[in-house]
Amino acid sequence: MLSEQFQELNVADFFYKNKDLVGFDSPHKATYMIVRELVENSLDACDGHRILPDVRVTLSRVEGEGGQERYHIKIVDNGIGVPLEAVPYAFGKVLFGSKYSMRQNRGTFGLGGKMSMLYGQITANSRVTITTSQGGNKIYTFELSTDIRTNTPIIYRRDEADNKSHFRGVKIEFDFEGDYGKARDKIIEYFYETAMILPYAQLTFIDPNGTLLFYPRITEKMPNPPVETQPHPHGVDLELLKRMMAANPHTSLQVFLSKNFQRVGERTAKAFLKSNGFDPHMEVSQLSTRQLTKLVTALREYPDFLPPDPSCLSPIGEELLREGIKRLLSPEHVVVTTRPARAYEGNPFIVEVGIAYGGAIMPPDKPGKVQLYRFANKIPLLYDEYSDVSMAVIQSINWNQYKVKLDEAPIAFITHICSTKVPYKTAGKEYVAARPEVEKEIDLAIKQAARELRVQLSRMEKAEYRERRTEVLRKYLSMMASFSTFLAEKTKEPDIDSLLREGGVKKRRKGAVQLVDDPPEDEFKEKGKA
Amino acid sequence: MERNTDRSEFARKALKDLGISIYNQMEEGRFPEVMIPSRQTNNIYYDPKLEQYVLGDKRVVRSADNVKHVKPLAQLLWVARIGKELIDYDRVSTLRDLFYMSKNIDINFATQQESDEAVYDLEALLSMPRESFNIFPHDRGAIFGDLTVRYRVKGFKDSLINLTDNPDGVNIGPALDNAELVKTTADKVIAIEKGAIFIQMIREKVHEKFNAILIDTTGQASRSARLLIRRLNEELGLPVYILTDCDVWGAHISMVIISGSVNSAHITGLNTPSAKWLGFWPTDINRYKVPTMKMKELDWKRLAELKADPRYKEKFWKEQLDAFERLGLKAELEAFSSKNKSVSQTFLVETYIPEKLKELGAI
């Protein structure tokens, strides 16, 4: 297992030397990343297991002797917790990942969370304190850090106590050097948008100034958690294949494929192998490097595999998306669309879109500006929105046909892409690349929602028109009632309320003022024209 | 119109009928509507029998059920209401005045043109001129001659007035318009385009010399003046002669008195079909050898317009227009002064008018 150790070393070391590449490139950016990564791990530990999330974050300043400001972060969740024996590895060792399965998660293998702790260790020489229980009788507390050189946990303290309060979840605490002043806006925006996409979560954040940000849960409905599935053959790469084979070295190719990949049965495996010139009975360990490369290419390109199974995805769903948007944007209209699952390169994905219009939403303050809230796997994307595929799609649509003036309308867009592998453009998970398959789905979703919006807007226009009409009719009819009473030399005015209420008796031309030489009815050529 | 009937009574009755119709429609739970003869150009025809422009059969329905009609309909009824008040209280108003009155109430005339339109609609609907419901143009025109009238205006009722009493003539105003024409010794009416010539003719006692009632139209005759001319013709049986400058504009001043204007095609009873253009004709230019002027661009343009008008197809009028075209000249009535022997004996009165009256068989 020499090669695996080599990789483990590399990961911790790699992060140590390249923290800017993964979003920790300045104290304020690191502050934002730490909050975000820890919150996402906590949320995964909750809603990934049908637990309604309750996540509390406290950030406080630590008195130091000058230099960069130091902070103490404490995050508590009510997730499934971590089993005692897994704690040191879950928090004290940077893992590259060992699962060969697919499932929609916020982060990949909890890497970001561990990097956050590592950042604290590097900048503030801080140990991490972990308190966890899975809800049993015992609660465990660890104090640990990571040996960067060997990528192994160093345990300083390990306590066990009675879980009197029936705590379940994880509490993490450590120090780091950061800059909350500059990170504040993004962190608050992060919680705001997270509350939008997760109306079933309860989020609490107390910032270093003592300001409380609290988003209560507004619904107890949750989307179904993603089901773990095997990888789809279209999505394999050489590394993944090698690792999978290393775990099953003595099986035949046919069995290996059918046991380890979704949408591949024995018959499909056989047909695939034959059509690509492989012997189905060959042992996987016998494959030469060249054959291995050829197999990867063939798996990715074989057209007869069924599309990927979307049960590994967990979209928010139209109802919850609507709730979340209503709660935070308070618009007059909300339209939402959840598209059916599609796939790119063996990675299933689902696009969800919401359009909010009117109400508390303000029109853009300058032309070309678009209010767009982007989400990927239930996490908000806060940077580089104008590079994002959703923005490109919105700007390419001809909005006139949806009765929307993009530069003037009080309109906001919400896009959510969930996938086992969101096609981020950069390592920092800031924006989604314009993969044609993804772009097309976003386009279809937005247009579908826009059509519904147009229906709602014109319905509203009609209702407004009716209201205006009644108003105008009332005004002038009451004048006519008064004038005609005067002209007819009567005392009591005719009743116009019933006229307005009942819309008038069916018209009979005969009742109109009879003029000298009035032509017969069928000769009214100019009826209605004035 | 019957001889010497009070127009106000007709108007009052018509306005009441309109009110009852609207009132009843609303009482019966229907959106009220009226049908108004269309005043669009495609509904205006020249009626050779009536010798005037008239409206065709096309009707416009104004229904309160239509949100676009409800305002004009209410405006129309407001004008009707004001008309009734004007009659009831014996007051008069003008189109301009009416527009300002509308500011008292939220009836929303955007411009005077809009309130004018409402008045025209009411005229068309009731088939009577707005003077009938006491909306008058500003006074224009005057009358002088042996005519005795009895006013119907409150405070002046039953007083008999002779129109020779005022040496400058009497303004043709609302009171005169609806006055009873009691008696006259005159046997003709001479309408003159110009105020200065009118005064000059009074001083030269043209009314006595020719036994005529003189009327100053001050350019294009106002509707009141036209109405009065018609009444003199219709009620007192006086033939009417019109004296204008020798230009296309003068010709048309005569024509409007004779057969009305396109603008008032929706009202009958304003024209005097038997009236005659006494002069100054273009065919008189060579005969009298007076100073002339060349026709200007505007004159030529107007000439072309008149030539297209069906009323000018008649032999006499066609000859006159052809004469303008052939000569390219015009002349004013004052041009006859070049032949005056003295200021008290003008060529116009001494020579031209009697010759022309003779020519037309009036004396």
Side-chain angles (χ1 to χ4, degrees):
Chain A
M1 300 294 275
L2 193 74
S3 70
E4 204 173 339
Q5 239 178 21
F6 179 66
Q7 283 167 342
E8 285 165 4
L9 263 178
N10 238 353
V11 174
D13 214 22
F14 177 83
F15 172 68
Y16 174 59
K17 287 166 180 157
N18 299 284
K19 39 192 191 307
D20 52 326
L21 286 186
V22 286
F24 291 74
D25 49 347
S26 65
H28 83 263
K29 195 79 185 292
T31 308
Y32 163 68
M33 287 300 284
I34 286 166
V35 170
R36 171 185 154 167
E37 294 289 359
L38 293 177
V39 168
E40 279 159 21
N41 277 357
S42 287
L43 290 170
D44 268 341
C46 298
D47 66 4
H49 303 272
R50 286 191 191 280
I51 297 167
L52 291 164
D54 180 357
V55 178
R56 304 163 190 204
V57 182
T58 310
L59 195 61
S60 45
R61 278 193 192 87
V62 178
E63 294 301 322
E65 55 280 4
Q68 185 63 46
E69 287 185 328
R70 279 176 73 162
Y71 294 90
H72 180 76
I73 187 166
K74 181 169 92 176
I75 177 166
V76 188
D77 68 50
N78 63 337
I80 51 161
V82 181
L84 172 64
E85 61 280 7
V87 171
Y89 294 95
F91 297 99
K93 176 176 175 176
V94 182
L95 292 173
F96 190 79
S98 54
K99 286 179 187 166
Y100 310 132
S101 66
M102 303 203 305
R103 159 187 163 131
Q104 173 191 330
N105 272 313
R106 291 182 173 80
T108 318
F109 316 121
L111 196 61
K114 271 167 257 176
M115 286 182 176
S116 302
M117 296 172 226
L118 206 53
Y119 187 83
Q121 186 179 329
I122 294 162
T123 59
N125 194 24
S126 168
R127 296 170 187 175
V128 182
T129 305
I130 312 285
T131 304
T132 184
S133 171
Q134 291 194 290
N137 293 328
K138 298 291 178 191
I139 184 163
Y140 307 100
T141 303
F142 285 78
E143 199 180 312
L144 45 79
S145 67
T146 304
D147 181 336
I148 293 169
R149 207 169 39 81
T150 60
N151 191 20
T152 49
I154 305 167
I155 301 167
Y156 302 97
R157 183 164 69 92
R158 175 180 166 152
D159 293 339
E160 187 182 311
D162 287 342
N163 188 11
K164 287 183 196 131
S165 60
H166 305 291
F167 175 75
R168 188 204 58 219
V170 174
K171 179 167 91 174
I172 301 169
E173 290 181 80
F174 62 93
D175 291 355
F176 63 96
E177 280 187 2
D179 182 349
Y180 180 71
K182 280 189 187 164
R184 183 180 174 276
D185 287 357
K186 283 286 179 199
I187 290 174
I188 287 172
E189 180 70 17
Y190 174 80
F191 277 104
Y192 174 82
E193 293 195 18
T194 302
M196 188 190 303
I197 200 78
L198 302 177
Y200 55 84
Q202 178 156 300
L203 304 171
T204 312
F205 173 57
I206 299 171
D207 85 350
N209 309 322
T211 307
L212 169 72
L213 196 64
F214 177 59
Y215 290 104
R217 176 178 297 129
I218 58 164
T219 175
E220 306 220 326
K221 282 182 196 137
M222 280 174 79
N224 285 330
V227 177
E228 286 197 3
T229 58
Q230 295 169 322
H232 189 276
H234 282 161
V236 296
D237 57 42
L238 192 57
E239 183 57 35
L240 180 63
L241 201 62
K242 270 187 185 167
R243 285 161 171 253
M244 291 164 80
M245 283 178 170
N248 309 273
H250 301 300
T251 48
S252 72
L253 268 176
Q254 186 182 344
V255 171
F256 171 76
L257 291 179
S258 61
K259 288 259 161 70
N260 289 291
F261 288 94
Q262 58 162 292
R263 305 301 208 194
V264 185
E266 297 223 355
R267 196 179 305 166
T268 312
K270 196 171 175 181
F272 160 75
L273 290 165
K274 286 224 158 134
S275 75
N276 284 286
F278 289 97
D279 175 4
H281 303 294
M282 188 180 182
E283 244 185 46
V284 293
S285 56
Q286 304 293 305
L287 286 167
S288 70
T289 309
R290 252 212 3 245
Q291 281 175 310
L292 208 54
T293 314
K294 189 185 161 197
L295 182 62
V296 169
T297 312
L299 281 170
R300 294 177 75 101
E301 290 173 359
Y302 186 67
D304 293 341
F305 295 126
L306 288 172
D309 173 10
S311 59
C312 56
L313 300 179
S314 173
I316 297 294
E318 298 190 351
E319 189 188 341
L320 288 176
L321 189 58
R322 189 189 302 275
E323 291 287 316
I325 292 170
K326 271 191 189 163
R327 166 212 207 165
L328 288 166
L329 299 179
S330 309
E332 192 170 355
H333 300 273
V334 189
V335 287
V336 290
T337 300
T338 296
R339 293 284 304 166
R342 297 281 186 263
Y344 78 95
E345 290 178 1
N347 306 296
F349 71 94
I350 289 176
V351 167
E352 297 179 284
V353 155
I355 301 179
Y357 190 98
I361 296 173
M362 301 300 287
D365 47 22
K366 57 175 186 258
K369 205 171 162 189
V370 176
Q371 275 189 72
L372 170 63
Y373 298 93
R374 296 167 298 141
F375 300 91
N377 288 351
K378 300 177 189 162
I379 63 175
L381 307 180
L382 300 186
Y383 285 93
D384 294 329
E385 61 175 339
Y386 283 86
S387 308
D388 194 278
V389 59
S390 294
M391 185 63 84
V393 167
I394 290 166
Q395 288 175 331
S396 73
I397 289 173
N398 173 12
W399 285 99
N400 289 337
Q401 54 183 320
Y402 300 104
K403 296 197 165 196
V404 169
K405 289 197 179 91
L406 203 55
D407 282 344
E408 298 164 20
I411 193 170
F413 299 90
I414 298 88
T415 58
H416 180 215
I417 299 164
C418 42
S419 177
T420 49
K421 190 180 169 193
V422 176
Y424 291 114
K425 194 75 179 259
T426 58
K429 293 196 275 184
E430 310 293 12
Y431 65 95
V432 178
R435 308 291 300 221
E437 302 91 336
V438 178
E439 191 169 6
K440 186 182 165 202
E441 279 302 301
I442 294 174
D443 184 66
L444 289 171
I446 290 179
K447 284 178 175 167
Q448 194 175 323
R451 277 193 296 277
E452 172 62 22
L453 176 69
R454 182 182 55 191
V455 170
Q456 289 196 15
L457 288 181
S458 57
R459 203 179 293 149
M460 183 182 69
E461 249 173 40
K462 271 183 205 141
E464 269 178 10
Y465 171 79
R466 271 197 300 276
E467 211 171 280
R468 260 201 325 270
R469 181 179 184 274
T470 309
E471 209 174 282
V472 169
L473 289 186
R474 175 179 299 283
K475 175 181 165 184
Y476 290 111
L477 279 172
S478 61
M479 286 187 180
M480 280 186 232
S482 148
F483 300 158
S484 65
T485 307
F486 177 81
L487 287 168
E489 295 171 2
K490 296 189 189 259
T491 46
K492 187 180 157 288
E493 287 192 11
D495 173 30
I496 59 162
D497 283 332
S498 66
L499 192 57
L500 285 167
R501 208 169 38 242
E502 286 148 33
V505 182
K506 186 107 181 77
K507 210 168 292 169
R508 275 167 295 136
R509 286 270 176 263
K510 286 187 189 92
V513 173
Q514 291 298 305
L515 302 165
V516 194
D517 303 330
D518 232 345
E521 271 186 50
D522 55 353
E523 279 181 38
F524 292 121
K525 291 171 192 128
E526 290 217 356
K527 181 183 175 293
K529 276 190 218 160
Chain B
M1 191 180 288
E2 258 175 71
R3 189 184 158 94
N4 272 338
T5 32
D6 187 345
R7 274 189 307 131
S8 298
E9 282 311 313
F10 271 109
R12 199 199 305 273
K13 170 94 173 49
L15 291 170
K16 185 172 180 180
D17 287 347
L18 172 64
I20 288 169
S21 163
I22 300 291
Y23 187 94
N24 287 347
Q25 289 181 73
M26 290 172 98
E27 270 293 284
E28 286 159 28
R30 280 179 291 126
F31 283 103
E33 61 178 31
V34 295
M35 278 171 286
I36 305 168
S38 165
R39 289 186 291 108
Q40 288 187 335
T41 43
N42 64 5
N43 196 38
I44 297 178
Y45 302 99
Y46 180 65
D47 183 335
K49 243 190 284 170
L50 286 175
E51 295 180 71
Q52 79 161 91
Y53 278 104
V54 293
L55 295 183
D57 292 338
K58 295 191 180 101
R59 295 286 188 278
V60 179
V61 174
R62 286 268 156 78
S63 169
D65 194 15
N66 184 330
V67 78
K68 283 188 188 133
H69 290 178
V70 67
K71 184 172 107 169
L73 183 55
Q75 290 174 335
L76 177 85
L77 289 168
W78 178 75
V79 173
R81 184 214 143 92
I82 295 296
K84 179 171 159 56
E85 276 187 303
L86 290 172
I87 294 169
D88 286 353
Y89 296 106
D90 216 349
R91 299 289 156 83
V92 296
S93 182
T94 61
L95 290 174
R96 186 91 190 129
D97 195 28
L98 195 76
F99 173 64
Y100 282 112
M101 271 197 262
S102 75
K103 302 292 174 195
N104 273 333
I105 181 172
D106 192 17
I107 196 83
N108 284 331
F109 289 115
T111 59
Q112 194 194 325
Q113 195 184 342
E114 222 175 281
S115 62
D116 289 357
E117 287 292 325
V119 174
Y120 304 152
D121 275 347
L122 187 61
E123 288 182 313
L125 180 66
L126 304 182
S127 202
M128 47 175 65
R130 55 182 172 273
E131 287 82 355
S132 299
F133 37 91
N134 287 13
I135 296 167
F136 284 89
H138 285 292
D139 291 347
R140 221 177 58 199
I143 183 168
F144 186 91
D146 178 28
L147 173 66
T148 304
V149 301
R150 183 183 285 122
Y151 286 116
R152 290 188 167 104
V153 184
K154 271 185 192 145
F156 296 88
K157 270 191 175 160
D158 299 330
S159 53
L160 289 169
I161 288 174
N162 189 277
L163 298 186
T164 49
D165 290 353
N166 188 328
D168 290 332
V170 175
N171 267 353
I172 301 176
L176 188 58
D177 228 39
N178 196 30
E180 185 187 340
L181 308 179
V182 181
K183 61 176 181 195
T184 182
T185 56
D187 60 9
K188 64 178 79 62
V189 174
I190 300 177
I192 303 109
E193 178 193 357
K194 284 176 157 166
I197 308 263
F198 169 76
I199 297 294
Q200 184 191 326
M201 284 166 68
I202 295 172
R203 302 295 153 84
E204 284 193 63
K205 302 203 179 302
V206 170
H207 53 286
E208 284 172 11
K209 282 180 183 149
F210 301 107
N211 208 21
I213 291 170
L214 304 180
I215 285 177
D216 167 22
T217 68
T218 321
Q220 192 63 261
S222 69
R223 292 174 20 142
S224 290
R226 278 148 60 198
L227 188 65
L228 185 61
I229 292 169
R230 179 178 170 115
R231 291 185 63 201
L232 290 168
N233 174 256
E234 208 176 46
E235 296 177 22
L236 301 179
L238 305 181
V240 176
Y241 303 94
I242 305 148
L243 191 62
T244 72
D245 280 340
C246 175
D247 55 25
V248 286
W249 314 93
H252 199 62
I253 286 169
S254 306
M255 183 57 87
V256 168
I257 291 170
I258 295 163
S259 64
S261 68
V262 177
N263 285 340
S264 41
H266 57 293
I267 308 154
T268 52
L270 282 180
N271 62 323
T272 311
S274 66
K276 297 246 164 15
W277 189 22
L278 185 65
F280 177 9
W281 301 348
T283 50
D284 293 338
I285 285 179
N286 287 334
R287 214 162 105 200
Y288 290 98
K289 304 257 182 313
V290 292
T292 57
M293 292 171 285
K294 278 195 172 149
M295 280 168 62
K296 301 246 169 60
E297 196 187 326
L298 265 178
D299 300 316
W300 287 106
K301 214 175 137 229
R302 188 66 178 150
L303 176 63
E305 283 167 11
L306 297 187
K307 286 185 73 145
D309 189 320
R311 293 174 290 181
Y312 286 89
K313 303 286 187 229
E314 197 213 318
K315 185 165 170 283
F316 164 75
W317 288 104
K318 193 173 177 307
E319 272 172 19
Q320 298 305 326
L321 293 191
D322 287 348
F324 279 124
E325 195 167 30
R326 194 174 61 248
L327 299 168
L329 295 173
K330 57 180 183 176
E332 294 183 289
L333 283 170
E334 287 87 339
F336 289 111
S337 301
S338 65
K339 295 174 168 297
N340 286 356
K341 293 186 192 102
S342 73
V343 285
S344 59
Q345 288 199 318
T346 63
F347 183 81
L348 180 68
V349 173
E350 296 292 318
T351 313
Y352 184 72
I353 292 175
E355 283 185 18
K356 294 295 291 188
L357 285 172
K358 223 168 271 164
E359 189 180 342
L360 293 179
I363 50 177

